[in-house]
Amino acid sequence: MEFESKWLLTDEEKDSFIATLTPNLTVLRTKAEISQEELANLIGVSRQTYSAIERKVRRMAWSTYLSLVLFYDHNQKTHKMIRQLSIFPQELIIRFNDGIDYSDYEISSFLGNKSEEIIEQLDEQAKGAIRAVVMMEYARCTTISNGASIKSISGIR
């Protein structure tokens, strides 16, 4: 019986993920408002290499793919686009997490081990409301923290 690790990817799987991302590189980069040179520097390749990848003259390395997916998924200007176009390797993330979809990780991080069950019962409006409350509380805490820092620096008590 052959053991198959969730961490092992075949070259065909990698090629498939790369082929899904490649045609969208120009649009994603434009939407993120980043130049080829800035993006190339960020992900650790030369501008010439990145340009050749974007023009489909050169195949990107797997490490480049992972860097780009990470950047675009965590950029507020491209996050929705990368998720909606199925460019983001959701099936890979589920595989790495033993079959559990943690796509709403910001919610699941504080719901604990029942997060999947709870999230399944929530509609998009409820998820949006939870995100809004979390962001408002984050802003409030950041403001309080920054205010406290400003007061202590200026000597105000």
Side-chain angles (χ1 to χ4, degrees), residues 85-120:
L85 294 176
S86 300
I87 299 168
F88 188 78
Q90 192 64 35
E91 66 272 14
L92 187 59
I93 302 306
I94 292 169
R95 178 172 149 188
F96 289 166
N97 288 294
D98 299 321
I100 299 170
D101 181 359
Y102 286 110
S103 58
D104 283 311
Y105 62 88
E106 64 273 2
I107 295 173
S108 63
S109 66
F110 64 86
L111 292 178
N113 62 1
K114 294 229 179 226
S115 63
E116 186 177 350
E117 181 182 325
I118 294 168
I119 290 171
E120 284 177 4

PDB file of all heavy atoms in Angstrom, residues 85-120:
ATOM      1  N   LEU A  85     -11.726  34.308  -8.602  1.00  0.00           N
ATOM      2  CA  LEU A  85     -11.298  33.710  -9.863  1.00  0.00           C
ATOM      3  C   LEU A  85     -10.773  32.292  -9.698  1.00  0.00           C
ATOM      4  O   LEU A  85     -10.263  31.700 -10.626  1.00  0.00           O
ATOM      5  CB  LEU A  85     -10.218  34.576 -10.522  1.00  0.00           C
ATOM      6  CG  LEU A  85     -10.662  35.945 -10.992  1.00  0.00           C
ATOM      7  CD1 LEU A  85      -9.470  36.738 -11.530  1.00  0.00           C
ATOM      8  CD2 LEU A  85     -11.727  35.809 -12.074  1.00  0.00           C
ATOM      9  N   SER A  86     -10.861  31.768  -8.521  1.00  0.00           N
ATOM     10  CA  SER A  86     -10.358  30.420  -8.222  1.00  0.00           C
ATOM     11  C   SER A  86      -8.873  30.290  -8.529  1.00  0.00           C
ATOM     12  O   SER A  86      -8.395  29.225  -8.885  1.00  0.00           O
ATOM     13  CB  SER A  86     -11.160  29.361  -8.985  1.00  0.00           C
ATOM     14  OG  SER A  86     -12.508  29.411  -8.615  1.00  0.00           O
ATOM     15  N   ILE A  87      -8.160  31.396  -8.412  1.00  0.00           N
ATOM     16  CA  ILE A  87      -6.709  31.373  -8.591  1.00  0.00           C
ATOM     17  C   ILE A  87      -6.061  30.863  -7.318  1.00  0.00           C
ATOM     18  O   ILE A  87      -5.058  30.177  -7.339  1.00  0.00           O
ATOM     19  CB  ILE A  87      -6.181  32.790  -8.922  1.00  0.00           C
ATOM     20  CG1 ILE A  87      -6.791  33.291 -10.222  1.00  0.00           C
ATOM     21  CG2 ILE A  87      -4.666  32.798  -9.018  1.00  0.00           C
ATOM     22  CD1 ILE A  87      -6.568  34.765 -10.476  1.00  0.00           C
ATOM     23  N   PHE A  88      -6.687  31.199  -6.202  1.00  0.00           N
ATOM     24  CA  PHE A  88      -6.170  30.767  -4.909  1.00  0.00           C
ATOM     25  C   PHE A  88      -6.355  29.258  -4.791  1.00  0.00           C
ATOM     26  O   PHE A  88      -7.441  28.741  -5.047  1.00  0.00           O
ATOM     27  CB  PHE A  88      -6.909  31.494  -3.785  1.00  0.00           C
ATOM     28  CG  PHE A  88      -6.315  31.248  -2.437  1.00  0.00           C
ATOM     29  CD1 PHE A  88      -5.170  31.921  -2.054  1.00  0.00           C
ATOM     30  CD2 PHE A  88      -6.889  30.349  -1.565  1.00  0.00           C
ATOM     31  CE1 PHE A  88      -4.608  31.697  -0.800  1.00  0.00           C
ATOM     32  CE2 PHE A  88      -6.340  30.116  -0.320  1.00  0.00           C
ATOM     33  CZ  PHE A  88      -5.193  30.799   0.064  1.00  0.00           C
ATOM     34  N   PRO A  89      -5.336  28.536  -4.394  1.00  0.00           N
ATOM     35  CA  PRO A  89      -5.392  27.070  -4.357  1.00  0.00           C
ATOM     36  C   PRO A  89      -6.171  26.531  -3.149  1.00  0.00           C
ATOM     37  O   PRO A  89      -5.625  25.868  -2.286  1.00  0.00           O
ATOM     38  CB  PRO A  89      -3.925  26.682  -4.295  1.00  0.00           C
ATOM     39  CG  PRO A  89      -3.291  27.812  -3.532  1.00  0.00           C
ATOM     40  CD  PRO A  89      -4.030  29.049  -3.974  1.00  0.00           C
ATOM     41  N   GLN A  90      -7.475  26.822  -3.110  1.00  0.00           N
ATOM     42  CA  GLN A  90      -8.298  26.439  -1.958  1.00  0.00           C
ATOM     43  C   GLN A  90      -8.226  24.945  -1.670  1.00  0.00           C
ATOM     44  O   GLN A  90      -8.121  24.538  -0.518  1.00  0.00           O
ATOM     45  CB  GLN A  90      -9.749  26.871  -2.188  1.00  0.00           C
ATOM     46  CG  GLN A  90     -10.609  26.791  -0.953  1.00  0.00           C
ATOM     47  CD  GLN A  90     -10.141  27.735   0.133  1.00  0.00           C
ATOM     48  OE1 GLN A  90      -9.661  28.827  -0.128  1.00  0.00           O
ATOM     49  NE2 GLN A  90     -10.253  27.317   1.362  1.00  0.00           N
ATOM     50  N   GLU A  91      -8.275  24.119  -2.731  1.00  0.00           N
ATOM     51  CA  GLU A  91      -8.226  22.672  -2.504  1.00  0.00           C
ATOM     52  C   GLU A  91      -6.902  22.244  -1.875  1.00  0.00           C
ATOM     53  O   GLU A  91      -6.846  21.300  -1.100  1.00  0.00           O
ATOM     54  CB  GLU A  91      -8.502  21.888  -3.795  1.00  0.00           C
ATOM     55  CG  GLU A  91      -7.460  22.032  -4.885  1.00  0.00           C
ATOM     56  CD  GLU A  91      -7.682  23.208  -5.836  1.00  0.00           C
ATOM     57  OE1 GLU A  91      -8.492  24.098  -5.545  1.00  0.00           O
ATOM     58  OE2 GLU A  91      -7.027  23.233  -6.881  1.00  0.00           O
ATOM     59  N   LEU A  92      -5.845  22.975  -2.182  1.00  0.00           N
ATOM     60  CA  LEU A  92      -4.547  22.680  -1.585  1.00  0.00           C
ATOM     61  C   LEU A  92      -4.537  23.042  -0.100  1.00  0.00           C
ATOM     62  O   LEU A  92      -4.061  22.277   0.735  1.00  0.00           O
ATOM     63  CB  LEU A  92      -3.454  23.463  -2.320  1.00  0.00           C
ATOM     64  CG  LEU A  92      -2.017  23.163  -1.956  1.00  0.00           C
ATOM     65  CD1 LEU A  92      -1.684  21.705  -2.196  1.00  0.00           C
ATOM     66  CD2 LEU A  92      -1.090  24.060  -2.757  1.00  0.00           C
ATOM     67  N   ILE A  93      -5.119  24.182   0.238  1.00  0.00           N
ATOM     68  CA  ILE A  93      -5.194  24.614   1.633  1.00  0.00           C
ATOM     69  C   ILE A  93      -6.033  23.630   2.447  1.00  0.00           C
ATOM     70  O   ILE A  93      -5.661  23.250   3.556  1.00  0.00           O
ATOM     71  CB  ILE A  93      -5.785  26.038   1.739  1.00  0.00           C
ATOM     72  CG1 ILE A  93      -4.946  27.040   0.941  1.00  0.00           C
ATOM     73  CG2 ILE A  93      -5.922  26.468   3.187  1.00  0.00           C
ATOM     74  CD1 ILE A  93      -3.486  27.079   1.272  1.00  0.00           C
ATOM     75  N   ILE A  94      -7.145  23.186   1.876  1.00  0.00           N
ATOM     76  CA  ILE A  94      -7.992  22.202   2.550  1.00  0.00           C
ATOM     77  C   ILE A  94      -7.215  20.900   2.764  1.00  0.00           C
ATOM     78  O   ILE A  94      -7.261  20.303   3.840  1.00  0.00           O
ATOM     79  CB  ILE A  94      -9.292  21.963   1.747  1.00  0.00           C
ATOM     80  CG1 ILE A  94     -10.154  23.230   1.781  1.00  0.00           C
ATOM     81  CG2 ILE A  94     -10.062  20.764   2.283  1.00  0.00           C
ATOM     82  CD1 ILE A  94     -11.327  23.217   0.811  1.00  0.00           C
ATOM     83  N   ARG A  95      -6.475  20.491   1.750  1.00  0.00           N
ATOM     84  CA  ARG A  95      -5.660  19.277   1.846  1.00  0.00           C
ATOM     85  C   ARG A  95      -4.628  19.409   2.961  1.00  0.00           C
ATOM     86  O   ARG A  95      -4.423  18.484   3.754  1.00  0.00           O
ATOM     87  CB  ARG A  95      -4.977  19.030   0.505  1.00  0.00           C
ATOM     88  CG  ARG A  95      -4.071  17.842   0.456  1.00  0.00           C
ATOM     89  CD  ARG A  95      -3.648  17.623  -0.972  1.00  0.00           C
ATOM     90  NE  ARG A  95      -2.351  17.058  -1.080  1.00  0.00           N
ATOM     91  CZ  ARG A  95      -1.692  16.918  -2.209  1.00  0.00           C
ATOM     92  NH1 ARG A  95      -2.241  17.323  -3.332  1.00  0.00           N
ATOM     93  NH2 ARG A  95      -0.518  16.390  -2.233  1.00  0.00           N
ATOM     94  N   PHE A  96      -3.975  20.546   3.052  1.00  0.00           N
ATOM     95  CA  PHE A  96      -2.957  20.764   4.075  1.00  0.00           C
ATOM     96  C   PHE A  96      -3.559  20.799   5.473  1.00  0.00           C
ATOM     97  O   PHE A  96      -2.866  20.575   6.459  1.00  0.00           O
ATOM     98  CB  PHE A  96      -2.198  22.067   3.825  1.00  0.00           C
ATOM     99  CG  PHE A  96      -1.268  22.034   2.641  1.00  0.00           C
ATOM    100  CD1 PHE A  96      -0.746  23.208   2.143  1.00  0.00           C
ATOM    101  CD2 PHE A  96      -0.903  20.855   2.026  1.00  0.00           C
ATOM    102  CE1 PHE A  96       0.114  23.207   1.057  1.00  0.00           C
ATOM    103  CE2 PHE A  96      -0.052  20.828   0.937  1.00  0.00           C
ATOM    104  CZ  PHE A  96       0.466  22.017   0.456  1.00  0.00           C
ATOM    105  N   ASN A  97      -4.846  21.105   5.576  1.00  0.00           N
ATOM    106  CA  ASN A  97      -5.525  21.197   6.870  1.00  0.00           C
ATOM    107  C   ASN A  97      -6.427  19.993   7.120  1.00  0.00           C
ATOM    108  O   ASN A  97      -7.481  20.116   7.738  1.00  0.00           O
ATOM    109  CB  ASN A  97      -6.313  22.508   6.962  1.00  0.00           C
ATOM    110  CG  ASN A  97      -5.394  23.683   7.122  1.00  0.00           C
ATOM    111  OD1 ASN A  97      -4.731  23.796   8.140  1.00  0.00           O
ATOM    112  ND2 ASN A  97      -5.333  24.541   6.122  1.00  0.00           N
ATOM    113  N   ASP A  98      -6.005  18.844   6.621  1.00  0.00           N
ATOM    114  CA  ASP A  98      -6.698  17.571   6.857  1.00  0.00           C
ATOM    115  C   ASP A  98      -8.171  17.608   6.467  1.00  0.00           C
ATOM    116  O   ASP A  98      -9.035  17.101   7.184  1.00  0.00           O
ATOM    117  CB  ASP A  98      -6.545  17.139   8.317  1.00  0.00           C
ATOM    118  CG  ASP A  98      -5.085  16.913   8.697  1.00  0.00           C
ATOM    119  OD1 ASP A  98      -4.334  16.370   7.860  1.00  0.00           O
ATOM    120  OD2 ASP A  98      -4.692  17.280   9.815  1.00  0.00           O
ATOM    121  N   GLY A  99      -8.460  18.278   5.353  1.00  0.00           N
ATOM    122  CA  GLY A  99      -9.813  18.285   4.821  1.00  0.00           C
ATOM    123  C   GLY A  99     -10.711  19.373   5.370  1.00  0.00           C
ATOM    124  O   GLY A  99     -11.884  19.449   5.039  1.00  0.00           O
ATOM    125  N   ILE A 100     -10.186  20.235   6.219  1.00  0.00           N
ATOM    126  CA  ILE A 100     -10.997  21.301   6.815  1.00  0.00           C
ATOM    127  C   ILE A 100     -10.744  22.598   6.068  1.00  0.00           C
ATOM    128  O   ILE A 100      -9.606  22.981   5.809  1.00  0.00           O
ATOM    129  CB  ILE A 100     -10.663  21.480   8.316  1.00  0.00           C
ATOM    130  CG1 ILE A 100     -10.970  20.179   9.060  1.00  0.00           C
ATOM    131  CG2 ILE A 100     -11.440  22.640   8.900  1.00  0.00           C
ATOM    132  CD1 ILE A 100     -10.476  20.152  10.479  1.00  0.00           C
ATOM    133  N   ASP A 101     -11.821  23.289   5.725  1.00  0.00           N
ATOM    134  CA  ASP A 101     -11.738  24.566   5.014  1.00  0.00           C
ATOM    135  C   ASP A 101     -11.670  25.698   6.040  1.00  0.00           C
ATOM    136  O   ASP A 101     -12.647  26.007   6.701  1.00  0.00           O
ATOM    137  CB  ASP A 101     -12.956  24.731   4.108  1.00  0.00           C
ATOM    138  CG  ASP A 101     -12.923  26.018   3.310  1.00  0.00           C
ATOM    139  OD1 ASP A 101     -11.963  26.806   3.460  1.00  0.00           O
ATOM    140  OD2 ASP A 101     -13.861  26.245   2.539  1.00  0.00           O
ATOM    141  N   TYR A 102     -10.499  26.292   6.149  1.00  0.00           N
ATOM    142  CA  TYR A 102     -10.316  27.418   7.069  1.00  0.00           C
ATOM    143  C   TYR A 102     -10.274  28.739   6.302  1.00  0.00           C
ATOM    144  O   TYR A 102      -9.558  29.654   6.668  1.00  0.00           O
ATOM    145  CB  TYR A 102      -9.015  27.265   7.865  1.00  0.00           C
ATOM    146  CG  TYR A 102      -9.084  26.209   8.935  1.00  0.00           C
ATOM    147  CD1 TYR A 102      -8.374  25.022   8.825  1.00  0.00           C
ATOM    148  CD2 TYR A 102      -9.864  26.404  10.061  1.00  0.00           C
ATOM    149  CE1 TYR A 102      -8.438  24.050   9.810  1.00  0.00           C
ATOM    150  CE2 TYR A 102      -9.934  25.438  11.057  1.00  0.00           C
ATOM    151  CZ  TYR A 102      -9.213  24.281  10.922  1.00  0.00           C
ATOM    152  OH  TYR A 102      -9.273  23.323  11.896  1.00  0.00           O
ATOM    153  N   SER A 103     -11.064  28.839   5.247  1.00  0.00           N
ATOM    154  CA  SER A 103     -11.029  30.055   4.448  1.00  0.00           C
ATOM    155  C   SER A 103     -11.492  31.268   5.234  1.00  0.00           C
ATOM    156  O   SER A 103     -11.147  32.392   4.913  1.00  0.00           O
ATOM    157  CB  SER A 103     -11.858  29.897   3.175  1.00  0.00           C
ATOM    158  OG  SER A 103     -13.195  29.579   3.494  1.00  0.00           O
ATOM    159  N   ASP A 104     -12.283  31.057   6.271  1.00  0.00           N
ATOM    160  CA  ASP A 104     -12.672  32.152   7.157  1.00  0.00           C
ATOM    161  C   ASP A 104     -11.834  32.084   8.427  1.00  0.00           C
ATOM    162  O   ASP A 104     -12.342  32.096   9.536  1.00  0.00           O
ATOM    163  CB  ASP A 104     -14.166  32.069   7.490  1.00  0.00           C
ATOM    164  CG  ASP A 104     -15.016  32.549   6.353  1.00  0.00           C
ATOM    165  OD1 ASP A 104     -14.731  33.642   5.826  1.00  0.00           O
ATOM    166  OD2 ASP A 104     -15.967  31.832   5.986  1.00  0.00           O
ATOM    167  N   TYR A 105     -10.496  32.029   8.232  1.00  0.00           N
ATOM    168  CA  TYR A 105      -9.601  31.821   9.359  1.00  0.00           C
ATOM    169  C   TYR A 105      -9.670  32.926  10.386  1.00  0.00           C
ATOM    170  O   TYR A 105      -9.448  32.694  11.555  1.00  0.00           O
ATOM    171  CB  TYR A 105      -8.161  31.636   8.873  1.00  0.00           C
ATOM    172  CG  TYR A 105      -7.607  32.835   8.138  1.00  0.00           C
ATOM    173  CD1 TYR A 105      -6.981  33.871   8.812  1.00  0.00           C
ATOM    174  CD2 TYR A 105      -7.743  32.935   6.761  1.00  0.00           C
ATOM    175  CE1 TYR A 105      -6.495  34.968   8.132  1.00  0.00           C
ATOM    176  CE2 TYR A 105      -7.262  34.025   6.076  1.00  0.00           C
ATOM    177  CZ  TYR A 105      -6.629  35.039   6.758  1.00  0.00           C
ATOM    178  OH  TYR A 105      -6.157  36.124   6.094  1.00  0.00           O
ATOM    179  N   GLU A 106     -10.008  34.156   9.972  1.00  0.00           N
ATOM    180  CA  GLU A 106     -10.073  35.222  10.964  1.00  0.00           C
ATOM    181  C   GLU A 106     -11.209  34.981  11.945  1.00  0.00           C
ATOM    182  O   GLU A 106     -11.125  35.365  13.095  1.00  0.00           O
ATOM    183  CB  GLU A 106     -10.188  36.613  10.322  1.00  0.00           C
ATOM    184  CG  GLU A 106     -11.458  36.856   9.530  1.00  0.00           C
ATOM    185  CD  GLU A 106     -11.378  36.419   8.082  1.00  0.00           C
ATOM    186  OE1 GLU A 106     -10.353  35.878   7.669  1.00  0.00           O
ATOM    187  OE2 GLU A 106     -12.365  36.612   7.356  1.00  0.00           O
ATOM    188  N   ILE A 107     -12.264  34.329  11.502  1.00  0.00           N
ATOM    189  CA  ILE A 107     -13.361  33.970  12.403  1.00  0.00           C
ATOM    190  C   ILE A 107     -12.987  32.711  13.179  1.00  0.00           C
ATOM    191  O   ILE A 107     -13.134  32.652  14.388  1.00  0.00           O
ATOM    192  CB  ILE A 107     -14.676  33.752  11.623  1.00  0.00           C
ATOM    193  CG1 ILE A 107     -15.129  35.072  10.988  1.00  0.00           C
ATOM    194  CG2 ILE A 107     -15.761  33.204  12.546  1.00  0.00           C
ATOM    195  CD1 ILE A 107     -16.316  34.926  10.050  1.00  0.00           C
ATOM    196  N   SER A 108     -12.467  31.708  12.477  1.00  0.00           N
ATOM    197  CA  SER A 108     -12.185  30.434  13.127  1.00  0.00           C
ATOM    198  C   SER A 108     -11.088  30.546  14.178  1.00  0.00           C
ATOM    199  O   SER A 108     -11.048  29.761  15.111  1.00  0.00           O
ATOM    200  CB  SER A 108     -11.812  29.369  12.093  1.00  0.00           C
ATOM    201  OG  SER A 108     -10.640  29.712  11.414  1.00  0.00           O
ATOM    202  N   SER A 109     -10.224  31.550  14.051  1.00  0.00           N
ATOM    203  CA  SER A 109      -9.135  31.675  15.008  1.00  0.00           C
ATOM    204  C   SER A 109      -9.623  31.934  16.430  1.00  0.00           C
ATOM    205  O   SER A 109      -8.973  31.552  17.380  1.00  0.00           O
ATOM    206  CB  SER A 109      -8.165  32.773  14.572  1.00  0.00           C
ATOM    207  OG  SER A 109      -8.800  34.029  14.620  1.00  0.00           O
ATOM    208  N   PHE A 110     -10.779  32.591  16.590  1.00  0.00           N
ATOM    209  CA  PHE A 110     -11.248  32.823  17.954  1.00  0.00           C
ATOM    210  C   PHE A 110     -12.470  31.993  18.324  1.00  0.00           C
ATOM    211  O   PHE A 110     -12.944  32.077  19.440  1.00  0.00           O
ATOM    212  CB  PHE A 110     -11.505  34.320  18.226  1.00  0.00           C
ATOM    213  CG  PHE A 110     -12.594  34.941  17.408  1.00  0.00           C
ATOM    214  CD1 PHE A 110     -13.918  34.868  17.816  1.00  0.00           C
ATOM    215  CD2 PHE A 110     -12.299  35.619  16.249  1.00  0.00           C
ATOM    216  CE1 PHE A 110     -14.921  35.451  17.065  1.00  0.00           C
ATOM    217  CE2 PHE A 110     -13.294  36.203  15.487  1.00  0.00           C
ATOM    218  CZ  PHE A 110     -14.607  36.123  15.896  1.00  0.00           C
ATOM    219  N   LEU A 111     -12.963  31.162  17.407  1.00  0.00           N
ATOM    220  CA  LEU A 111     -14.097  30.296  17.732  1.00  0.00           C
ATOM    221  C   LEU A 111     -13.656  28.939  18.285  1.00  0.00           C
ATOM    222  O   LEU A 111     -14.462  28.211  18.819  1.00  0.00           O
ATOM    223  CB  LEU A 111     -14.985  30.074  16.505  1.00  0.00           C
ATOM    224  CG  LEU A 111     -15.758  31.292  16.001  1.00  0.00           C
ATOM    225  CD1 LEU A 111     -16.558  30.924  14.760  1.00  0.00           C
ATOM    226  CD2 LEU A 111     -16.674  31.846  17.069  1.00  0.00           C
ATOM    227  N   GLY A 112     -12.383  28.615  18.117  1.00  0.00           N
ATOM    228  CA  GLY A 112     -11.872  27.377  18.682  1.00  0.00           C
ATOM    229  C   GLY A 112     -12.206  26.147  17.862  1.00  0.00           C
ATOM    230  O   GLY A 112     -12.470  26.221  16.663  1.00  0.00           O
ATOM    231  N   ASN A 113     -12.246  24.991  18.506  1.00  0.00           N
ATOM    232  CA  ASN A 113     -12.387  23.723  17.800  1.00  0.00           C
ATOM    233  C   ASN A 113     -13.781  23.479  17.234  1.00  0.00           C
ATOM    234  O   ASN A 113     -13.983  22.543  16.495  1.00  0.00           O
ATOM    235  CB  ASN A 113     -11.939  22.553  18.682  1.00  0.00           C
ATOM    236  CG  ASN A 113     -12.776  22.421  19.945  1.00  0.00           C
ATOM    237  OD1 ASN A 113     -13.710  23.193  20.177  1.00  0.00           O
ATOM    238  ND2 ASN A 113     -12.444  21.447  20.764  1.00  0.00           N
ATOM    239  N   LYS A 114     -14.751  24.275  17.564  1.00  0.00           N
ATOM    240  CA  LYS A 114     -16.098  24.149  16.991  1.00  0.00           C
ATOM    241  C   LYS A 114     -16.294  25.135  15.838  1.00  0.00           C
ATOM    242  O   LYS A 114     -17.405  25.305  15.345  1.00  0.00           O
ATOM    243  CB  LYS A 114     -17.161  24.395  18.057  1.00  0.00           C
ATOM    244  CG  LYS A 114     -17.175  23.355  19.138  1.00  0.00           C
ATOM    245  CD  LYS A 114     -18.580  22.891  19.322  1.00  0.00           C
ATOM    246  CE  LYS A 114     -18.596  21.833  20.400  1.00  0.00           C
ATOM    247  NZ  LYS A 114     -19.351  20.701  20.051  1.00  0.00           N
ATOM    248  N   SER A 115     -15.220  25.789  15.398  1.00  0.00           N
ATOM    249  CA  SER A 115     -15.340  26.859  14.411  1.00  0.00           C
ATOM    250  C   SER A 115     -15.975  26.393  13.104  1.00  0.00           C
ATOM    251  O   SER A 115     -16.833  27.081  12.567  1.00  0.00           O
ATOM    252  CB  SER A 115     -13.983  27.488  14.135  1.00  0.00           C
ATOM    253  OG  SER A 115     -13.093  26.555  13.581  1.00  0.00           O
ATOM    254  N   GLU A 116     -15.573  25.233  12.614  1.00  0.00           N
ATOM    255  CA  GLU A 116     -16.124  24.766  11.339  1.00  0.00           C
ATOM    256  C   GLU A 116     -17.632  24.575  11.436  1.00  0.00           C
ATOM    257  O   GLU A 116     -18.392  25.019  10.570  1.00  0.00           O
ATOM    258  CB  GLU A 116     -15.445  23.460  10.919  1.00  0.00           C
ATOM    259  CG  GLU A 116     -15.878  23.002   9.541  1.00  0.00           C
ATOM    260  CD  GLU A 116     -15.144  21.749   9.102  1.00  0.00           C
ATOM    261  OE1 GLU A 116     -14.177  21.338   9.760  1.00  0.00           O
ATOM    262  OE2 GLU A 116     -15.571  21.181   8.092  1.00  0.00           O
ATOM    263  N   GLU A 117     -18.081  23.957  12.507  1.00  0.00           N
ATOM    264  CA  GLU A 117     -19.509  23.723  12.722  1.00  0.00           C
ATOM    265  C   GLU A 117     -20.277  25.045  12.827  1.00  0.00           C
ATOM    266  O   GLU A 117     -21.347  25.207  12.247  1.00  0.00           O
ATOM    267  CB  GLU A 117     -19.681  22.902  14.009  1.00  0.00           C
ATOM    268  CG  GLU A 117     -21.099  22.552  14.356  1.00  0.00           C
ATOM    269  CD  GLU A 117     -21.153  21.777  15.679  1.00  0.00           C
ATOM    270  OE1 GLU A 117     -20.229  20.993  15.966  1.00  0.00           O
ATOM    271  OE2 GLU A 117     -22.130  21.985  16.409  1.00  0.00           O
ATOM    272  N   ILE A 118     -19.719  25.992  13.558  1.00  0.00           N
ATOM    273  CA  ILE A 118     -20.374  27.292  13.736  1.00  0.00           C
ATOM    274  C   ILE A 118     -20.397  28.061  12.419  1.00  0.00           C
ATOM    275  O   ILE A 118     -21.431  28.602  12.020  1.00  0.00           O
ATOM    276  CB  ILE A 118     -19.670  28.108  14.843  1.00  0.00           C
ATOM    277  CG1 ILE A 118     -19.862  27.419  16.194  1.00  0.00           C
ATOM    278  CG2 ILE A 118     -20.198  29.538  14.884  1.00  0.00           C
ATOM    279  CD1 ILE A 118     -18.973  27.969  17.305  1.00  0.00           C
ATOM    280  N   ILE A 119     -19.274  28.115  11.730  1.00  0.00           N
ATOM    281  CA  ILE A 119     -19.175  28.869  10.480  1.00  0.00           C
ATOM    282  C   ILE A 119     -20.144  28.335   9.437  1.00  0.00           C
ATOM    283  O   ILE A 119     -20.731  29.098   8.671  1.00  0.00           O
ATOM    284  CB  ILE A 119     -17.720  28.880   9.964  1.00  0.00           C
ATOM    285  CG1 ILE A 119     -16.864  29.746  10.886  1.00  0.00           C
ATOM    286  CG2 ILE A 119     -17.647  29.400   8.533  1.00  0.00           C
ATOM    287  CD1 ILE A 119     -15.385  29.660  10.622  1.00  0.00           C
ATOM    288  N   GLU A 120     -20.346  27.020   9.395  1.00  0.00           N
ATOM    289  CA  GLU A 120     -21.284  26.429   8.440  1.00  0.00           C
ATOM    290  C   GLU A 120     -22.704  26.970   8.624  1.00  0.00           C
ATOM    291  O   GLU A 120     -23.476  27.026   7.680  1.00  0.00           O
ATOM    292  CB  GLU A 120     -21.297  24.904   8.569  1.00  0.00           C
ATOM    293  CG  GLU A 120     -20.091  24.242   7.962  1.00  0.00           C
ATOM    294  CD  GLU A 120     -20.092  22.732   8.176  1.00  0.00           C
ATOM    295  OE1 GLU A 120     -21.071  22.187   8.733  1.00  0.00           O
ATOM    296  OE2 GLU A 120     -19.100  22.102   7.783  1.00  0.00           O
TER     297      GLU A 120
END
